[in-house]
């Protein structure tokens, strides 16, 4: 009873399927044979394919009125039905799912019908539904394997990491290109008499049953979809001609994928044709080179498609001779005899029946020439030429029914060839799956080991590497900002102004270098007399006032801003060189430039505004007692440092002359000349007093330095003296006064630079309030709502690196050889794992396929004796 219900239910679904022309349901229909008596076996059979055909199922479920079905069948058809509970792979399972276009509304075997070119124009699809569905399944398996093959190509490296393909060999002009074009249905291969195929062309055909467009793609070139086959032909020609004349052939394959509803899933490799004699303009080794290239490709487990023209004796076929060498038992060679139309039918038939070179996969005779009228009627390149070729071919074979008719058992025709190629490729690929999987496991084990040992299993991608690098850099920048603030700015600016003060003192108060040995003019007011000078002495007043004016009008705004900005830039450079970016020239430059640009921008405004801030000091300077005291203390240290520098300079001069004594002698001589004790004869240019002129020059420097040191010592005493303890005596103590002024200027500058330069550079929102200086120009107040600071350095880094394209990020990460190796290992491992997963899915698919196929034949043989049941099935 239950069995009957099952059959009735199935019958109904079958009916629906016929109505919808639903391929998916037909698959289910095939499973009917397994539904012998219990629902359980039905589940098994149907469960297998449930996953693959769920789209079709759902479609049927929608179109079927569920209440009319028995409840168990409703369960089966409903999404959450028990079908997945039997564990044989439901829609939620890991099992392979159908590619979208397979489960749509194509009729049974429609995919292969088009691929086999079983369309209305050529011949009726005479296949039984079962055969058609089986063909479709076979093509699905092949497609999956070809996908895996392509994946493996991206893994590269080892030769064992591939799945077999069909390799086309034959001598020049034997018709190789014509056969391939007949299979594809388009003229797309390079044409010409002179060696147009110089590189292997790895042709992958991808069946797209529901698509209308046919197009090609060169995955390695990134040109996108090319729908114009003339363009494909041009590209192939260019790629081939790019091989230098001197090299003749290259074993670097061109990869081409062609997508079309009219092609079967196939993987074919076109090779340069064998040549018999080398042309006068071809190097002598060309013949061997081509032979070597072909040899490489015709190795097991590849299938050899040996092309021979009918008008050449098979014994002379280069293709067969080459294949014989690597496949002596003729197990993986398909013989193709082209140009059957050029010889007498009997001779052609004899070739196909060849007994001298028996091939397990047999010989197929074809006529692949594009009939002339086609090329004139349709514009070449765009129209599919398959039907024209098939018609022409069929016409020829049909004209000799006794030779080539069904009774002859000869295999002829492009359609048969296509089908044979599909079957053979599927079988060959299946057969080598295990070996390939083994090789992949091996590679994966190696990659995993390397990943573990070298990289401690640390995952990495270009994106994550960039993000980590940027985070780390921003972190180190943040740490730096915390250590570089107003105090540090003050130190830098003060140090710079100290140097300026020393320069002014040297210019206006200290001794001057001298160039000749003439006695110096007597000084009107020697510095040594300063402590005892008249308090109203105009000269000393003028000297200090002029020095102060020089200091305040130095351009402090620009000077202070520049030294601080330079320091920031130097710090950024230091941060970069201690970061991961140090190994990335492009990023390095980008970051440096970002910092430079921001600092330059900020510096313009900052230096102008700071100049305005210090403007009042140019006119009037009031010093507090404590300021004076601080200046006195500081300049003491500065003068001491200067004295030390002076003394060490004298030391190095001593060394340069070669000893204290020698220097003392020359200095003594110079002193005597300058004081007038010794009168020089002549100008002393060529030396004097027994000293060479260069020695005299060095002596002059030493005298200058010694006098400078004496002055410094004297002034250090003055600074420490009681006289200089009081700010009222500033004219007697210019050093202290100038230092105190420099300190005042520094206090304004550091506050301002901290607020304007550092904060804008560091932070998003102003961290420090504007300097509370009463002199601050109103226009220099930044807008308070300015929380999107365009000058902020970390933000500009974000903006820069976020605008990078994935390709640029990849390029960036790969700049570092260590990172590149790491990335390669990670990628390789991921790819291999992915391939293995795909292979596992394929293995399951195949196992189910085999199971259901064997069940199918089993029940069929059983059913043969059961006429009544057969009839019942026949109802549908
Ligand atoms: P390849 O050098 O091996 O690629 O050979 P081609 O495919 O370029 O073919 C060489 C020449 O043979 C071309 O002029 C084709 O038109 C012609 N040809 C190819 N197949 C056939 C055929 O089946 N019959 C005839 N008559 N000519 C053919
Ligand atoms: Mg060719």
């Amino acid at each position: 009873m239950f069995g009957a219900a099952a059959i009735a239910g199935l019958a109904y679904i079958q009916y629906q399927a016929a109505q919808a022309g639903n391929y998916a349901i037909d698959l289910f229909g095939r499973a009917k044979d397994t539904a012998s008596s219990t629902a359980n076996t039905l589940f098994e059979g149907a469960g297998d394919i449930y996953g693959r055909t769920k789209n079709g199922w759902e479609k049927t479920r929608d179109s079927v009125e569920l209440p009319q079905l028995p409840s168990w069948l409703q369960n089966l058809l409903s999404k959450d039905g028990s079908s997945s509970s039997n564990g044989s792979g439901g829609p939620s399972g890991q099992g392979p799912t159908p590619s979208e276009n397979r489960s749509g509304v194509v009729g049974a075997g429609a995919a292969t019908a088009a691929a086999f070119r079983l369309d209305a124009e050529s011949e009726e699809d005479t296949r039984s539904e079962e055969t058609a569905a089986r063909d479709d399944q076979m093509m699905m398996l092949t497609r999956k394997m070809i996908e895996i093959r392509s994946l493996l190509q991206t893994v590269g490296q080892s030769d064992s990491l591939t799945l077999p393909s069909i390799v086309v060999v034959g001598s020049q002009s034997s018709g190789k290109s014509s056969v391939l074009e007949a299979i594809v249905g388009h003229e797309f291969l390079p044409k010409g008499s002179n060696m147009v195929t110089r590189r292997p062309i790895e042709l992958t055909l991808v069946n797209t049953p529901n698509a209308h467009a046919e197009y090609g793609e060169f995955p390695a070139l990134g040109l996108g979809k090319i729908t114009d086959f003339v363009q494909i032909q041009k590209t192939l020609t260019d790629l081939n001609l790019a091989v230098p004349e001197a090299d003749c052939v290259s074993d670097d394959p061109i990869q081409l994928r062609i997508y079309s509803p009219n092609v079967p899933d196939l993987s074919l490799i076109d090779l340069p044709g064998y040549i018999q004699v080398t042309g006068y303009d071809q190097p002598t080794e060309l013949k061997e080179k081509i032979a070597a290239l072909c040899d490489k490709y015709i190795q097991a487990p590849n299938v050899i498609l040996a092309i021979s023209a009918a008008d050449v004796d098979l014994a002379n076929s280069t293709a067969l001779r080459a294949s014989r060498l690597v496949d002596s038992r003729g197990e993986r060679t398909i013989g193709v005899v082209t140009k059957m139309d050029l010889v007498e039918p009997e001779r052609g038939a004899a070739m196909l029946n060849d007994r001298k070179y028996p091939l397990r996969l047999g010989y197929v005779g074809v006529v692949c020439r594009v009939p002339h009228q086609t090329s004139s009627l349709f514009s070449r390149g765009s129209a599919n030429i398959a039907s024209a070729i098939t018609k022409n071919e069929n016409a020829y074979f049909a004209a000799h029914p006794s030779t080539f008719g069904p009774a002859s058992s000869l295999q002829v025709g492009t359609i048969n060839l296509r089908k044979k190629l599909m079957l053979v490729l599927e079988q060959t690929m299946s057969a080598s799956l295990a070996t390939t999987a083994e090789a992949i496991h091996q590679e994966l084990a190696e990659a995993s080991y390397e990943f573990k040992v070298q990289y401690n299993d640390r995952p990495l991608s270009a994106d994550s590497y960039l993000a980590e690098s940027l985070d780390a850099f921003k972190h180190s920048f943040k740490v730096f900002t915390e250590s570089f603030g107003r105090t540090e700015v003050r130190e830098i600016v003060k140090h710079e102004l100290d140097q300026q003060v020393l320069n002014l003192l040297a210019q206006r108060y200290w001794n001057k270098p001298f160039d000749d040995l003439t006695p110096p003019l007597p000084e009107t007011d020697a510095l040594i007399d300063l402590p005892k000078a008249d308090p109203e002495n105009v000269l000393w007043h003028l000297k200090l006032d002029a020095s102060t004016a020089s200091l305040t009008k130095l351009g402090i705004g620009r000077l202070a801003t520049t030294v601080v900005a330079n320091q920031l830039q130097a710090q950024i450079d230091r941060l970069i060189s201690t970061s991961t970016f140090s190994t990335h020239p492009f990023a390095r430059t980008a970051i440096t430039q970002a910092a430079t640009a921001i600092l330059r921008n900020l510096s313009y405004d900052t230096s102008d505004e700071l100049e305005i801030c210090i403007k009042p000091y140019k006119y009037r300077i009031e010093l507090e007692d404590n300021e004076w005291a601080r200046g006195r203390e500081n300049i003491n240290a500065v003068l001491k440092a200067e004295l030390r520098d002076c003394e060490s300079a004298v030391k190095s001069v001593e060394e340069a002359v070669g000893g204290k004594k020698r220097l003392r002698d020359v200095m003594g001589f110079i002193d005597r000349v300058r004081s007038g004790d010794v009168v020089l004869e002549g100008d002393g240019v060529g030396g004097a007093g027994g000293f060479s002129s260069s020695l005299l020059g060095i002596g002059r420097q030493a005298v200058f330095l010694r006098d400078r040191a004496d002055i410094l010592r004297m002034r250090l005493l003055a600074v420490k003296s009681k006289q200089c303890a009081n700010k009222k005596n500033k004219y007697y103590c210019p050093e202290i006064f100038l230092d105190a002024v420099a300190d005042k200027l520094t206090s304004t500058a550091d506050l301002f630079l901290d607020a304007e330069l550092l904060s804008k550079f560091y932070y998003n929102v102003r961290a420090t309030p504007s300097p509370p200086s009463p002199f601050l120009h109103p226009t220099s107040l930044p807008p308070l709502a300015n929380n999107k600071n365009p000058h902020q350095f970390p933000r500009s880094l974000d903006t820069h690196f976020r605008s990078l394209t994935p390709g640029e990020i990849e390029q960036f990460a790969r700049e570092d050889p260590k990172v590149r190796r790491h990335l390669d290992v990670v990628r390789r491992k991921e790819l291999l794992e992915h391939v293995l997963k795909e292979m596992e899915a394929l293995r399951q698919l195949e196992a189910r396929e085999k199971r259901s196929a064997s069940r199918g034949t089993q029940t069929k043989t059983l059913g043969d004796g059961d006429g009544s049941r057969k009839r019942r099935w026949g109802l549908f």
Side-chain angles (χ1 to χ4, degrees), residues 176-177 190 196-197:
K176 294 184 301 300
S177 300
V196 278
T197 307

Side-chain angles (χ1 to χ4, degrees), residues 410-697:
L410 291 178
Q411 296 185 63
V412 289
T414 316
I415 289 167
N416 282 328
L417 177 61
R418 280 158 72 102
K419 190 157 186 189
K420 188 187 271 292
L421 292 181
M422 292 169 71
L423 284 167
V424 170
L425 184 64
E426 193 239 19
Q427 282 162 8
T428 314
M429 281 185 148
S430 298
S432 54
L433 273 183
T435 328
T436 308
E438 189 49 47
I440 297 172
H441 274 295
Q442 181 83 25
E443 292 276 332
L444 181 59
E446 278 165 30
S448 302
Y449 179 77
E450 193 183 350
F451 185 52
K452 191 182 180 64
V453 171
Q454 305 260 9
Y455 304 101
N456 210 8
D457 283 342
R458 192 165 62 84
L460 187 76
S461 71
D463 276 331
S464 71
Y465 175 70
L466 173 61
E468 277 168 30
S469 304
L470 194 56
D471 280 352
F473 184 76
K474 287 199 308 200
H475 177 73
S476 72
F477 179 73
K478 192 164 178 302
V479 170
F480 160 72
T481 62
E482 281 155 12
S483 70
F484 192 86
R486 189 175 166 191
T487 321
E488 288 70 29
V489 169
R490 179 178 176 81
E491 221 164 84
I492 295 167
V493 173
K494 186 68 204 318
H495 178 77
E496 181 61 28
L497 292 189
D498 282 346
Q499 297 309 305
Q500 299 297 334
V501 167
L502 285 179
N503 285 348
L504 287 170
L505 288 170
Q507 254 173 45
R508 302 203 187 257
Y509 289 92
W510 300 345
N511 63 333
K512 310 248 175 317
F514 53 97
D515 300 330
D516 54 32
L517 299 182
T518 50
L521 296 170
E523 282 181 75
T524 43
D525 286 271
L527 192 54
I528 195 154
D529 302 327
L530 176 58
K532 284 161 264 146
D534 177 350
E536 298 307 320
N537 183 323
V538 179
L539 185 86
W540 294 112
H541 282 226
L542 274 178
K543 267 197 198 239
L544 183 60
D545 293 346
S547 300
T548 311
S550 295
L551 184 59
T552 54
K553 288 173 186 163
L554 198 61
I556 301 292
R558 207 167 61 97
L559 185 72
T561 307
T562 309
V563 291
V564 173
N566 284 349
Q567 184 59 28
L568 284 174
Q569 183 81 60
Q571 292 296 332
I572 298 292
D573 289 347
R574 183 184 60 81
L575 291 179
I576 296 172
S577 58
T578 53
S579 76
T580 40
F581 288 120
S582 63
T583 49
H584 298 279
F586 275 118
R588 215 187 156 125
T589 317
I591 299 172
T592 311
Q593 281 173 352
T596 313
I598 296 173
L599 287 172
R600 197 195 295 124
N601 266 331
L602 285 173
S603 294
Y604 285 132
D605 291 345
T606 310
S607 63
D608 287 354
E609 287 161 10
L610 176 56
E611 198 62 41
I612 294 166
C613 280
I614 57 126
K615 199 171 174 186
Y617 294 125
K618 293 176 187 172
Y619 306 106
R620 190 178 158 77
I621 292 166
E622 298 281 1
L623 286 185
E624 303 292 329
D625 285 336
N626 64 333
E627 288 172 331
W628 179 268
R630 213 171 46 235
R632 188 178 177 209
E633 199 175 307
N634 184 62
I635 199 67
N636 187 39
V638 173
L639 289 176
K640 269 186 181 156
E642 184 69 9
L643 177 58
R644 270 197 305 277
D645 285 353
C646 235
E647 284 166 346
S648 73
V650 173
K651 267 251 153 34
S652 55
V653 173
E654 259 171 31
E655 275 160 29
V657 213
K660 245 186 179 131
K661 164 135 190 1
R662 207 162 139 76
L663 188 62
R664 213 168 38 232
D665 289 349
V666 70
M667 282 168 79
F669 174 73
I670 291 169
D671 281 341
R672 282 196 298 283
V673 175
R674 293 188 86 214
S675 65
D677 294 351
V678 173
V679 178
L680 267 194
E681 288 180 18
D683 51 6
V685 166
F691 301 103
S692 72
S693 68
S694 73
L695 190 55
L696 284 172

Side-chain angles (χ1 to χ4, degrees), residues 51-63:
R52 260 178 291 139
T53 58
K54 66 173 171 176
N55 291 349
W57 273 112
E58 273 152 27
K59 193 161 171 46
T60 314
R61 195 193 61 212
D62 293 345
S63 57

